[in-house]
Amino acid sequence: MTRDPLAGLDDVPWAQLQHSYGKADDVPGHLRAMQTGDREGPYPSSALLANKIVHQGTRSQAAVHTVPFLVRMALDPRSVDRHRFVGLLVAIEIGLDNNHLPNGYNPREDRDYLARMRGEADDWARWIAEAADDEQRKQREEGCEQVLIDAEAVVVCYDAVREALPALAVLLTSNSPELRAETANLLAWFPESASTSIPLLKAFVADEASPGAAATGLVALGLLGDPAVVPFVESYLDSPVVELRWASAFALTRLGIAGQAVVDVLVRVVARPPERTATMSFLSGSYGGLAVTALAEMPEATTLRAVDAMLAGLADCAGGERQGDRYYITHMLFTAVFPGEPAEPPQSFGDLSDVQQRVVRFVADQDDAGWPYHMADALNRWKVPTGHSDLRVYVGSV
C-alpha cells in the first residue's frame, strides 16, 4: 500500500461539521497524530478523538466522515497501534458496548427510531409554532434539529462501518493479537453480515494462539446470535483454558443455552476472573464484568451461590486494574438483589431476604477502601441506610 491513508483529509469540510464539543475542525489534527502514534498530552490521540466524535456513545455529525480514514489507517501496516483504529470504528458503529451487552446489537431498533423521528416532523412543526416567544421557538427548533441529527448519525455511522467489513476482515490474520481481537469484536455487531462473519470467526477461534483474542472471537460468535454455532461454541465449555471456558459460557447464554454447566463456569469467573489482558476487547477486557452481565440475565443470579460469587469478586477488586470488574459486578449485583421499588419497604434488617441480608452485611463490613460505589440508588429505593456508620448500626455491627 503506497497511498497515504489520509489522502483527501483536508477536502472534508470539517469546520462545517459538529462534534460533541463544537466545530470539528480539530479532527484532522487528531487523525494525523493517530497515524504517527503521537500522544496529545497524557492521553492517546484515539481517546481524545473518540471523546469528541462518540462522546459517551453519542455519534456526532463528524464521526461518519472519519470512517474512510480510520479504515485505511487500520489496513496500512505502516500505521502505529492499528488496533486503536479498529477500536474506534467499533465505537462509531455502536457507541458504548456496555449498552448492548450481553444481548448484542439490533440495528433495526435504531432504523425504526430514525423513521419515527422523521415521521414526527409535522408534530414538531406545530409544537415549534406554539412557542411563547422567539427565544423559546429557537430553542425548540434547535432541539428538534439536534434529535434528528443524532438519530441520523447513528444509522449512517453503522452503515459506513458495515460497508468496510469485507476489507477489514483480513485483519483477523494480522501479526498483532490486539488487532486480531479488535477485528473479532468489530464483526460481532453486524448480525446482517453473520453468514459471512461466522465462518471467519470460527476459523479464527480454532487457530488463535492468544487466549484473550480467541475468547473475543467466541463472544463475537455468541453476540451474532445464530443458533447454528452452538455445537462449535459448546465444544469450548470444558476447555482447559479458563478464558475459553468463560467465553463459551457467555456466548451460550446469548444463544439460549443456560444449563448448570454454563452457570457453574460463569459463577466461578465472577468470583475469580482471569487476569485482564489487552487481547480481550469487550468491556475493555473486564472478564468479571462480562460474566456478571450474562449471569444477571439468569434466574440463578439471585441464588446465594451466585450472590456469594459476586461478593467474592468484589472483595478481590481492590486494585486499580480491577475497577472495571468492580463497577460492573456492583451494578449488576445491586440491580438483581434490590430490583425496582419494593411493594412494602422493609422496616428493619430482619425484613430483608437472605440474599439481601448477605449483601448488606458485606457492605457494612467493608472499610472505606472497599466500600462499593454505585449502590446508593438501589439501597435508597429499599429504604436501607447508605451512610457507612448508619448501615453498620442497621445490621447490628456496632
Side-chain angles (χ1 to χ4, degrees), residues 131-169:
D133 51 43
D134 288 344
E135 182 178 355
Q136 187 182 66
R137 185 175 299 107
K138 182 180 179 181
Q139 290 175 344
R140 291 184 177 185
E141 286 175 346
E142 292 176 347
C144 292
E145 181 182 11
Q146 192 61 52
V147 167
L148 193 56
I149 288 173
D150 290 344
E152 289 175 341
V154 168
V155 173
V156 298
C157 282
Y158 181 83
D159 287 342
V161 180
R162 185 186 176 196
E163 288 179 8
L165 280 190
L168 292 167

Side-chain angles (χ1 to χ4, degrees), residues 6-329:
L6 297 183
L9 182 63
D10 293 327
D11 296 335
V12 178
W14 298 107
Q16 299 173 33
L17 301 172
Q18 297 288 318
H19 58 45
S20 298
Y21 292 89
K23 291 183 179 181
D25 52 0
D26 56 351
V27 168
H30 292 310
L31 288 170
R32 290 190 173 99
M34 288 175 64
Q35 184 183 32
T36 59
D38 294 339
R39 294 180 73 90
E40 300 180 76
Y43 301 105
S45 298
S46 56
L48 295 177
L49 180 58
N51 186 47
K52 293 179 178 179
I53 64 172
V54 287
H55 180 69
Q56 297 181 352
T58 299
R59 274 76 90 208
S60 71
Q61 191 181 41
V64 68
H65 296 274
T66 68
V67 170
F69 306 108
L70 292 169
V71 170
R72 293 202 295 264
M73 285 195 293
L75 293 171
D76 187 351
R78 299 169 300 181
S79 297
V80 178
D81 293 335
R82 291 193 288 163
H83 65 284
R84 295 188 185 277
F85 309 143
V86 179
L88 185 48
L89 287 169
V90 173
I92 290 171
E93 65 173 297
I94 61 162
L96 300 177
D97 64 354
N98 62 346
N99 290 334
H100 307 290
L101 291 166
N103 297 315
Y105 176 69
N106 182 358
R108 186 181 300 112
E109 293 178 357
D110 287 327
R111 298 187 194 284
D112 290 347
Y113 176 74
L114 174 58
R116 287 198 306 273
M117 294 303 97
R118 287 173 171 168
E120 293 177 3
D122 290 342
D123 292 337
W124 287 356
R126 285 192 293 271
W127 180 63
I128 292 169
E130 294 168 355
D133 51 43
D134 288 344
E135 182 178 355
Q136 187 182 66
R137 185 175 299 107
K138 182 180 179 181
Q139 290 175 344
R140 291 184 177 185
E141 286 175 346
E142 292 176 347
C144 292
E145 181 182 11
Q146 192 61 52
V147 167
L148 193 56
I149 288 173
D150 290 344
E152 289 175 341
V154 168
V155 173
V156 298
C157 282
Y158 181 83
D159 287 342
V161 180
R162 185 186 176 196
E163 288 179 8
L165 280 190
L168 292 167
V170 69
L171 297 177
L172 283 174
T173 60
S174 75
N175 292 327
S176 163
E178 291 84 5
L179 182 55
R180 296 194 300 270
E182 284 291 0
T183 305
N185 185 332
L186 183 79
L187 297 177
W189 307 106
F190 294 95
E192 311 101 320
S193 302
S195 61
T196 302
S197 299
I198 285 174
L200 295 173
L201 287 167
K202 289 172 70 174
F204 165 71
V205 171
D207 295 338
E208 179 55 46
S210 164
T216 300
L218 282 172
V219 171
L221 285 169
L223 291 175
L224 287 172
D226 187 343
V229 304
V230 167
F232 178 84
V233 173
E234 205 164 25
S235 69
Y236 289 90
L237 190 58
D238 58 356
S239 168
V241 180
V242 63
E243 289 89 346
L244 299 185
R245 291 199 305 274
W246 160 83
S248 172
F250 178 93
L252 289 170
T253 62
R254 163 71 173 122
L255 296 165
I257 309 297
Q260 192 58 50
V262 170
V263 174
D264 288 346
V265 171
L266 291 175
V267 166
R268 286 195 293 270
V269 169
V270 169
R272 188 175 291 276
E275 187 172 339
R276 181 185 179 278
T277 67
T279 52
M280 205 294 290
S281 60
F282 294 100
L283 286 189
S284 301
S286 174
Y287 288 100
L290 272 165
V292 81
T293 63
L295 186 61
E297 298 276 305
M298 306 166 72
E300 290 82 358
T302 53
T303 62
L304 280 174
R305 182 184 178 216
V307 168
D308 281 346
M310 289 186 246
L311 295 177
L314 278 181
D316 196 39
C317 287
E321 293 183 359
R322 296 285 308 281
Q323 287 304 304
D325 289 345
R326 183 180 181 82
Y327 172 83
Y328 292 111
I329 292 173

